[in-house]
Amino acid sequence: MALVKDRRQLNLRLPLPEHSERRPRFPLPLPPSSLSTTATTNPTATASTTTTITAADIEKVQVLGHGNGGTVYKVRHKRTSATYALKVVHGDSDPINRRQILSEISILRRTDSPYVVKCHGVLEKWGGDIAILMEFMDKGTLESLAKSGDLFSEQMVAKIAYQVVQGLEHLHAHKIIHRDLKPSNLLVNEQMQVKIADFGVSKIMCRTLDPCNSYVGTCAYMSPERFDPDTYGNGGTYNGYAGDIWSLGLTLLELYMGHFPYLPEGQRPDWATLMCAICFGEPPSLPEYVSKEFRSFIGCCLQKDSSKRWTATQLLSHPFLQNIKG
């Protein structure tokens, strides 16, 4: 398989820059709206005027999470009481993490969809920290809901699928592939609105079928052609758009089944086991009692041959989503 050849390259590392070279020497790109936002876009806002937000205007409320050299905070605007999420990558973090947040900023500048988490602005703080001020989703992630014991009915999964597919259609239309779609990267609010987030390893494609053969992302949700493009890809290439659809199918299956579908409940995955299951096994299936529409929808997502997988636009016309309102 091409897998062996490609994995040899994973241990290659560029030398890290000296500590003094990790500080940005150029202005950061800002979203089109810069730091100007309307408070009424947030349900907790108390004012209806347009507000220019600076670092001095916000106060930290609590830590929402850590990882990849950074921290995500829940923050509040001091004057309007509007709440936001502030994603901070620290100035002395790994250069890879800093490149990822700069990539995420670039992606967010291109998106404007109710199904993609909104960026309200970018702050460069003293000491080289980079912070993205983002929409706050008060229910957390679909992963956190599942771990808390929430059960997802077929109807709930259909509503989630509709929103995520809408988001993917918007991203793919703008030549953006996510590459790391999974329950922990789908945010939820009290109204059960679902939005795609975390674009650190996403890519803006220069051409519709620009090859994308790196091993970034989470291997559990990788499509077969991501591991072995020669066998499962279209002409030996990895189609990132189709890869996002595969990840969507596994995500929906996991939410419905209550555990990762390729493994028995409670089993911890490892890279070799997952690779063998995804490449050599049959795609996981739903229980017999689910509707034929649900089974068909998952089947359209989990085609091992990437050329047979439905696109986001095609999925929006699938019978499984026809009775869902956005």
Side-chain angles (χ1 to χ4, degrees), residues 3-143:
L3 170 67
V4 176
K5 178 180 65 177
D6 288 345
R7 277 182 55 78
R8 291 175 182 168
Q9 302 175 7
L10 294 179
N11 293 326
L12 298 177
R13 293 287 186 271
L14 294 174
L16 296 178
E18 296 298 323
H19 185 80
S20 61
E21 295 178 352
R22 297 185 186 181
R23 299 291 186 262
R25 298 178 179 177
F26 46 85
L28 293 174
L30 297 179
S33 59
S34 186
L35 291 180
S36 179
T37 183
T38 302
T40 51
T41 60
N42 190 296
T44 61
T46 59
S48 59
T49 57
T50 299
T51 306
T52 299
I53 302 176
T54 67
D57 294 327
I58 58 177
E59 57 183 357
K60 294 176 182 176
V61 177
Q62 68 182 88
V63 174
L64 297 175
H66 297 280
N68 293 328
T71 306
V72 180
Y73 300 93
K74 177 183 177 181
V75 298
R76 179 171 49 232
H77 192 278
K78 295 176 181 177
R79 184 173 62 82
T80 67
S81 295
T83 54
Y84 304 93
L86 187 70
K87 183 174 184 178
V88 180
V89 170
H90 306 300
D92 59 354
S93 66
D94 190 295
I96 294 176
N97 298 327
R98 294 180 64 81
R99 285 198 295 270
Q100 286 184 347
I101 198 169
L102 290 173
S103 172
E104 184 164 8
I105 291 168
S106 180
I107 296 288
L108 290 171
R109 291 177 65 188
R110 289 170 171 250
T111 60
D112 182 19
S113 167
Y115 305 102
V116 177
V117 68
K118 183 176 178 60
C119 172
H120 292 288
V122 181
L123 301 171
E124 182 179 7
K125 304 173 69 177
W126 181 85
D129 290 358
I130 306 171
I132 309 178
L133 191 68
M134 307 176 75
E135 179 179 7
F136 176 62
M137 303 291 282
D138 47 13
K139 291 285 283 185
T141 68
L142 287 177
E143 179 188 54

Side-chain angles (χ1 to χ4, degrees), residues 202-216:
S202 301
K203 181 175 181 179
I204 302 172
M205 308 294 273
C206 296
R207 298 180 298 276
T208 302
L209 293 178
D210 197 11
C212 179
N213 299 317
S214 62
Y215 282 90
V216 297

